[in-house]
Amino acid sequence: MQTVPMTGYLEGGAIKTGVSGRAQLRSVESQRCRVGQSSLLQNVRCSLQQQRQIKAKAVEAPVRGQGLKESSAEVKSSSSDGQDPAAFTRDVIEREKKYVLQTYVRPDIVFTHAKGVRMWDAHGKEYLDFAAGIAVNSVGHSHPRWLAAVNEQAAVLTHTSNLFHTESGVNLAEKLVTNCAFADKAFFTNSGTEANEAAIKFARKYARVKAGIDPYDASASAASDIVCFSASFHGRTMGALALTYKEQYKTPFAPIMPGAKLATYQDLDSAAQVIKKGETCAVFVEPLQGEGGINTAHQGFLQGLRDLCDEAGALLVFDEVQCGLGRTGKLWAWEHFGVQPDMMTLAKPLAGGLPIGAVLVTQAVADVMSPGDHGSTFAGNPLVCHAAEAVVDIITEEGFLEDVTRKGEKLRAGLESALGSNPHVKQVRGLGLIVGVQLDVPAGDLCKKCWDAGLVVITAGKGDVVRLVPPLVVSDADIDLCIEMLSSIANEVLI
């Protein structure tokens, strides 16, 4: 098969950035930037047994490095202290088990560098990234404009705390607010779960102020219940955790925050039973559930929630941590439905891989908050905000979102065609470039075989959904490659 070149900014020269230590693993041949598609397909066309045998085979890959032009010499896959790739990988994994709290189940892969929609491990093996760090790397790995923004800001001012004014945070807040029809103010956090924690606090104080009580009077009470939904995921800190559906996430840490009321997603009657005037202060809902299985809300459901909240005097909060900022083909997922919230939480893609979260609020919500009510040491620092400015600028460029919509339709149609005859594939669904393949069996084995072949996809839902959330800059050629790889592997695994 003819090698298909990687598109977009991958066809340019190397991006320059800092290199030290284990960055020696990132050595390559400069002309191999176009390797990729043919080598990945070759892996897929091997039998699964052969894939396991060649898993450690090195593939030369592109690199970035400050003061280092891409070398024309043959690359050595070795660590900075002379270890071979297998020894280096083994050492990292052993030390991770020794020193890092074991709350994750990771495969025996150590990624060393990435560019665009591709990543490479310590052996030099290439992977097509259709997970994007769980929908985080929306503009791809090391996008030149993002990288320039990070380097530019890191060179002049990284952090001051929120005790002082800096420009980048103001610039970012202005970009977010002016591009969001309902929003008047922004509050920055460091993650999605922190954004939801902030929204919980804002909603509860709003209810106390609107009830006419002194919000700082511990003996006074007001509406404080928060409604959430089946299959929801809002985070793992104690407030957001209370609004998250899976009991296994919550039970070991009981008692969790009181006042969470569960309703059934897409069921307005169920929601009406728990949204009550004088008791409910907010309703938290994802317009499109990512972790829950790529479930898209109906317009009537979201509009019904808006109406129920208005009747009860409660705030409607849209969690767009995973589905927001262009992922669905609209800047905000709620724009598909024409239903506006009072607050919206953001995080994953906002700073292109750096930690950030945000809450966008109406003026009515902003008016109840006072200095000292909430805060963060790191949130909204100049470095992450300047990086986020670059991401927002890229995503809001003319034609970008329309292209996401087109590519999402292409991906879903291709998967439906390629997988439609497999009896274990029940549905392909999603919006834009957040796509789920619903199986009637666990998806974990299929995902692992994809990793073996060099395709990174992950699970969702009850572990029976294959989740595809590639960088939004993914090319048509790479979408075709993903479809061919996934369907080929699925036809061997799902039998």
Side-chain angles (χ1 to χ4, degrees):
M1 177 179 176
Q2 182 181 0
T3 300
V4 181
M6 287 183 278
T7 60
Y9 59 86
L10 292 187
E11 294 182 342
I15 307 300
K16 293 180 172 58
T17 185
V19 170
S20 63
R22 289 186 176 83
Q24 292 185 31
L25 280 166
R26 304 176 183 183
S27 47
V28 294
E29 293 180 359
S30 61
Q31 301 305 314
R32 296 304 296 273
C33 191
R34 299 170 187 267
V35 69
Q37 307 224 2
S38 60
S39 60
L40 288 173
L41 276 175
Q42 186 176 7
N43 278 355
V44 176
R45 288 167 178 163
C46 293
S47 68
L48 294 178
Q49 182 179 4
Q50 288 173 318
Q51 289 173 22
R52 287 192 291 271
Q53 292 172 346
I54 67 172
K55 185 176 180 182
K57 185 178 180 181
V59 177
E60 295 152 354
V63 68
R64 62 185 201 267
Q66 182 174 357
L68 298 176
K69 295 183 178 179
E70 289 181 316
S71 172
S72 60
E74 184 174 351
V75 191
K76 295 181 180 179
S77 293
S78 62
S79 69
S80 59
D81 56 5
Q83 291 178 297
D84 65 25
F88 172 77
T89 299
R90 194 163 52 247
D91 173 66
V92 170
I93 292 171
E94 288 174 355
R95 288 189 294 116
E96 187 270 345
K97 294 183 184 300
K98 183 176 181 179
Y99 296 112
V100 178
L101 189 66
Q102 297 296 291
T103 58
Y104 304 100
V105 179
R106 297 181 172 105
D108 290 343
I109 301 170
V110 177
F111 286 117
T112 58
H113 58 291
K115 200 172 186 181
V117 297
R118 282 172 167 73
M119 301 189 291
W120 289 268
D121 67 16
H123 296 274
K125 179 178 175 179
E126 179 180 319
Y127 298 78
L128 183 62
D129 184 9
F130 266 60
I134 317 181
V136 167
N137 301 110
S138 60
V139 297
H141 299 277
S142 299
H143 191 290
R145 288 169 60 182
W146 175 88
L147 189 58
V150 171
N151 288 338
E152 177 184 70
Q153 191 62 49
V156 292
L157 183 65
T158 300
H159 177 76
T160 64
S161 84
N162 282 298
L163 297 176
F164 305 99
H165 293 290
T166 56
E167 183 184 15
S168 296
V170 176
N171 290 346
L172 178 59
E174 182 177 14
K175 289 178 188 292
L176 293 174
V177 168
T178 56
N179 281 287
C180 185
F182 80 87
D184 296 297
K185 294 287 194 297
F187 178 87
F188 293 120
T189 68
N190 303 287
S191 65
T193 192
E194 288 181 54
N196 284 323
E197 294 284 348
I200 290 169
K201 292 178 72 173
F202 299 168
R204 285 190 164 170
K205 189 180 182 193
Y206 178 88
R208 293 173 72 82
V209 170
K210 293 305 176 183
I213 65 174
D214 179 356
Y216 303 101
D217 181 356
S219 66
S221 62
S224 61
D225 288 350
I226 300 175
V227 172
C228 54
F229 293 92
S230 57
S232 63
F233 184 87
H234 297 289
R236 293 178 183 264
T237 49
M238 292 302 279
L241 183 62
L243 308 182
T244 292
Y245 178 61
K246 287 186 179 179
E247 289 298 326
Q248 70 191 65
Y249 290 166
K250 298 186 284 188
T251 302
F253 312 107
I256 56 174
M257 180 190 77
K261 304 296 182 181
L262 182 68
T264 303
Y265 195 67
Q266 307 281 41
D267 186 339
L268 265 183
D269 291 336
S270 173
Q273 291 175 16
V274 291
I275 300 174
K276 300 178 180 179
K277 187 175 181 64
E279 297 182 16
T280 304
C281 70
V283 174
F284 276 64
V285 65
E286 298 156 275
L288 189 155
Q289 294 181 327
E291 188 73 20
I294 320 301
N295 307 310
T296 304
H298 302 143
Q299 195 280 337
F301 175 64
L302 294 181
Q303 184 59 59
L305 293 181
R306 175 74 274 173
D307 295 341
L308 288 170
C309 285
D310 290 343
E311 293 168 9
L315 298 177
L316 181 59
V317 184
F318 286 166
D319 180 337
E320 295 211 8
V321 167
Q322 184 163 165
C323 65
L325 208 65
R327 175 59 59 184
T328 66
K330 299 282 189 183
L331 189 59
W332 315 118
W334 61 261
E335 292 178 314
H336 288 280
F337 313 101
V339 179
Q340 295 186 1
D342 302 292
M343 290 192 277
M344 177 173 64
T345 56
L346 311 170
K348 288 183 181 293
L350 183 51
L354 296 182
I356 192 173
V359 190
L360 302 188
V361 305
T362 63
Q363 191 62 48
V365 176
D367 285 342
V368 307
M369 298 302 293
S370 302
D373 278 346
H374 196 37
S376 170
T377 298
F378 292 103
N381 74 51
L383 180 63
V384 297
C385 284
H386 198 52
E389 285 185 73
V391 172
V392 174
D393 286 346
I394 293 166
I395 291 175
T396 55
E397 284 183 338
E398 184 177 358
F400 186 94
L401 293 171
E402 291 79 4
D403 206 37
V404 171
T405 297
R406 181 190 61 79
K407 289 185 287 191
E409 292 170 351
K410 175 182 175 66
L411 177 59
R412 291 192 302 277
L415 290 171
E416 288 171 352
S417 176
L419 297 171
S421 62
N422 191 300
H424 294 292
V425 176
K426 298 305 177 184
Q427 187 183 29
V428 176
R429 58 179 179 258
L431 281 174
L433 285 171
I434 179 167
V435 176
V437 179
Q438 178 70 61
L439 307 180
D440 64 0
V441 294
D445 286 346
L446 175 58
C447 289
K448 289 176 183 177
K449 297 302 183 184
C450 286
W451 301 346
D452 289 344
L455 172 65
V456 182
V457 292
I458 53 179
T459 63
K462 298 177 181 178
D464 56 356
V465 175
V466 179
R467 178 174 15 173
L468 299 96
V469 281
L472 303 183
V473 296
V474 65
S475 70
D476 284 10
D478 283 333
I479 289 173
D480 289 336
L481 177 60
C482 170
I483 293 167
E484 185 168 355
M485 293 177 73
L486 182 57
S487 61
S488 176
I489 297 165
N491 288 335
E492 293 194 61
V493 175
L494 302 178
I495 55 176

